[in-house]
Amino acid sequence: MVGGILILLECLCLKLLLGGYFAIMPPWSQADSDTRLWPSDRMGDFTVSSAYNKINYIPNSHSDNMWKQIWNIKSPERIKVFMWLVAHNRLTTNMRIARWDGETPFCHHCQGMEEFVLSVLRDCPMASQIWLHLINYSQRFNFFMADMKYWIFLNLTMSMDSFGGSNWIRLWAHVCYYLWF
């Protein structure tokens, strides 16, 4: 009885294996050749930056435009580099220092808030007061409620000031720089 069951199981397994094998389509001579495509790059090529953007959910066009706009700000090089550091979240804040050596992560001005890039440049009461004088009333909600990536994108693509000027990106970059220093 046990031997018959084993033979039956072997036949079933063999049939399943062979059935799956015969279901695979053989190569077709008229088919196009195989190509590798990376869906996160316009050209289909894999790059480290396209993988980084894919992981961080940054669409290609937004990422490319953001870097171009940062490097095209009509400002001194130190402000462009500073804004690049902001966009990469690489400024040395108290929160970052606290991870290294156990110092307090709190802002020196606010005392109750942990200091991270967006808190220094936008959310600190001192920074907020400056922005409230510069931001158009209708744009304040978007300006103050956006997360870091969207906040940068928003300020690089829209004129947020109440003066109606076309130099918003330059003004925004300079204010951020002077808030930090």
Side-chain angles (χ1 to χ4, degrees), residues 38-41 46-60 63 149:
W38 174 247
S40 296
D41 184 65
F46 175 83
T47 62
V48 173
S49 67
S50 67
Y52 175 84
N53 292 336
K54 178 84 171 163
I55 291 168
N56 290 299
Y57 307 107
I58 301 172
N60 286 340
S63 178
K149 287 179 185 171

Side-chain angles (χ1 to χ4, degrees), residues 3 10 13 21 25 29 40 43 50-51 65 74 82 94 96 106 111 113 115 122 124 150 152-153 167 174 177:
E10 284 180 19
C13 289
Y21 176 75
M25 295 286 293
S29 62
S40 296
M43 302 302 291
S50 67
N65 289 337
K74 292 179 175 81
F82 173 78
N94 286 343
R96 186 173 293 240
F106 299 108
Q111 300 301 323
M113 276 178 64
E115 184 183 86
R122 184 192 72 186
C124 178
Y150 186 65
I152 292 167
F153 171 75
N167 291 323
H174 281 256
Y177 180 81

Side-chain angles (χ1 to χ4, degrees), residues 128-144:
S128 295
Q129 287 303 310
I130 293 169
W131 291 120
L132 285 172
H133 290 289
L134 298 173
I135 302 294
N136 186 345
Y137 184 77
S138 64
Q139 298 290 342
R140 288 181 182 173
F141 180 80
N142 290 333
F143 185 86
F144 286 105

Side-chain angles (χ1 to χ4, degrees), residues 29-95:
S29 62
Q30 281 112 12
D32 293 335
S33 62
D34 290 341
T35 57
R36 293 183 193 172
L37 291 177
W38 174 247
S40 296
D41 184 65
R42 280 186 228 121
M43 302 302 291
D45 297 327
F46 175 83
T47 62
V48 173
S49 67
S50 67
Y52 175 84
N53 292 336
K54 178 84 171 163
I55 291 168
N56 290 299
Y57 307 107
I58 301 172
N60 286 340
S61 61
H62 294 288
S63 178
D64 293 345
N65 289 337
M66 182 171 64
W67 304 126
K68 286 177 188 173
Q69 287 177 314
I70 287 173
W71 293 116
N72 288 329
I73 296 172
K74 292 179 175 81
S75 295
E77 200 68 24
R78 68 180 182 276
I79 292 179
K80 293 177 189 180
V81 170
F82 173 78
M83 294 311 296
W84 186 85
L85 290 169
V86 168
H88 276 79
N89 199 21
R90 291 290 181 239
L91 295 178
T92 309
T93 61
N94 286 343
M95 193 163 156

